[in-house]
Amino acid sequence: MAQVEENGETNTKKFALPVDKEHKSTVFPLFSIAKPHMRAFHLSWIQFFACFISTFAAPPLLPIIRDNLNLTATDIGNAGIASVSGAVFARLAMGAACDMFGPRLASATLTLLTAPAVYLTAIADSASAFILVRFFTGFSLATFVSTQFWMSSMFSPPVVGSANGVSGGWGNLGGGATQLIMPLVYDLIRTIGAKKFTAWRIAFFIPALFQTLSAFAVMMLGQDTPDGNYQRLQRSGEKHKDKISKVTYHGIANYRGWITALCYGYCFGVELTVDNIIAQYFYDRFNVNLNTAGIIAASFGLANIFARPGGGVVSDLLAKRFGMRGRLWGWWFIQTVGGVLCVVLGMVSSLSASIAIMLVFSVFVQAACGLTFGVVPFISRRSLGVISGITGAGGNVGAAITQAIFFKGSHYTTELGITYMGIMIIACTLPIAFIYFPQWGGMFCGPKSGVTEVDYYMKEWNSDEQHEDLHQISLKFADTSSRSERTNKNVLQPDELPSQVNNNAPPTQA
């Protein structure tokens, strides 16, 4: 049982894990299912994993689908762009929805609304129909925003980078898993007796069902915050129901969110692009069979099992030693190396070398995604969902732009497009140098003298709102947890350390 002292009173609440003053877990025991913290973690990544499988179920079967629907190279390019374009708007909306209604309700609703598009893929009979179902299925990728928001609501700053990295990485793992799953499902259905052009259609019922079940699991088993769901907290007065106009304004007015969106467009956006093109690239360029191309392509996405989580862990480790400035430097370095490897990937011409470089490239580009969301939770407390949505949408915008420029039609060969994509990664990573927090500093400049975390986060609340005591959630974050981002030159004093509760009593049942 955790005992948390707030405002001079002891507030006793039961948690299976040690928590801080916001009741966020200060540890991240990966294989625990302790509720509410670790249960939210597992529900979030499984749901995102299911949505990723649905969105990228088509690419590993494209050689079959294109023959059935007579798809041209332009049709295939447009379908790839469509699959990541819809989520641009959905991710922006998801951010605001999480701020207003909570991540559980927002993500489960979207997952259920997009599941029918996956089922309808089975009856697509033309290029336009195929493009449409991929477009609407892609909306489900907005569950990434709710995943990151949920983790930031459940885990304390010293471990939030790890929680965001693992949840996002294991969800993205679906992009690799589907490269293995869909060809195997297709072959199994063929073995049972279905015809070639019927088998691929039946295969889509598997990801559609998985996505549907994951939504119900989140709805019935999840919890928005350590203290309960938004609806109950708002009814009881424990949580202020903010105005969407205020939340949106403070999100879009913070320039740091737009920089994270641009940079995320060239780590996660690149990952989405590669998920769409890599199986067909190896199938066409190196004349490997469908299953082999799927296995090679799967190895790119499967690196998410450790690469993106590793990025989150690296971000937290750098923050412990160097504060926020360490997170920024690490993010820039890892993503830039990923860009260099992408350039090299497009230039090699042997199968073995291409596979080797692709594997190393996958580790760096996915780790950069984890490092991105090691920074995002600190940009805004009031508009965390909007900032997460803007950043997440940036990933899809980057993917759509990259595919439209380099992988649509026959203007560039795929290998040349990959090389140019690497150059864009390097260039679009440079703006990280412009991210500056006055209380912590940036890559090249230290913090401003006398500026505190409270000064920074209270700017999002006007005097009337503060007078009405609506700013308490931001104040608590500023006055405790966020101080872990200070550099060694601005070390925390013992009496300033975030309050952490160690549960010495036997934990409650998870």
Side-chain angles (χ1 to χ4, degrees), residues 2 15-30 32 34-39 41 150-161 163 225-227 316 481 499-503:
F15 295 103
L17 301 175
V19 298
D20 62 13
K21 282 190 176 181
E22 293 184 281
H23 298 170
K24 295 180 180 180
S25 175
T26 57
V27 296
F28 182 58
L30 187 57
S32 167
K35 64 178 184 181
H37 306 90
M38 296 310 296
R39 180 177 290 186
F41 162 73
W150 210 353
M151 295 305 94
S152 298
S153 301
M154 287 289 184
F155 294 93
S156 189
V159 296
V160 72
T225 74
D227 297 323
D316 286 341
S481 307
S499 174
Q500 176 172 316
V501 178
N502 290 307
N503 301 328

Side-chain angles (χ1 to χ4, degrees), residues 216-295:
F216 283 114
V218 167
M219 185 74 77
M220 293 185 292
L221 302 175
Q223 182 173 305
D224 289 320
T225 74
D227 297 323
N229 291 324
Y230 272 36
Q231 289 81 0
R232 185 190 70 78
L233 295 174
Q234 289 168 350
R235 284 197 302 269
S236 67
E238 295 177 63
K239 177 177 172 57
H240 163 61
K241 187 171 184 178
D242 214 337
K243 295 181 179 179
I244 191 169
S245 58
K246 295 276 190 177
V247 170
T248 302
Y249 170 76
H250 288 292
I252 63 177
N254 196 317
Y255 79 92
R256 299 166 190 84
W258 296 104
I259 294 179
T260 57
L262 171 63
C263 296
Y264 198 59
Y266 285 91
C267 54
F268 181 66
V270 167
E271 183 181 347
L272 292 179
T273 299
V274 174
D275 282 336
N276 265 328
I277 68 168
I278 200 68
Q280 188 179 353
Y281 171 64
F282 279 98
Y283 180 87
D284 290 337
R285 188 176 187 196
F286 298 105
N287 297 314
V288 298
N289 61 42
L290 186 64
N291 284 334
T292 302
I295 292 171

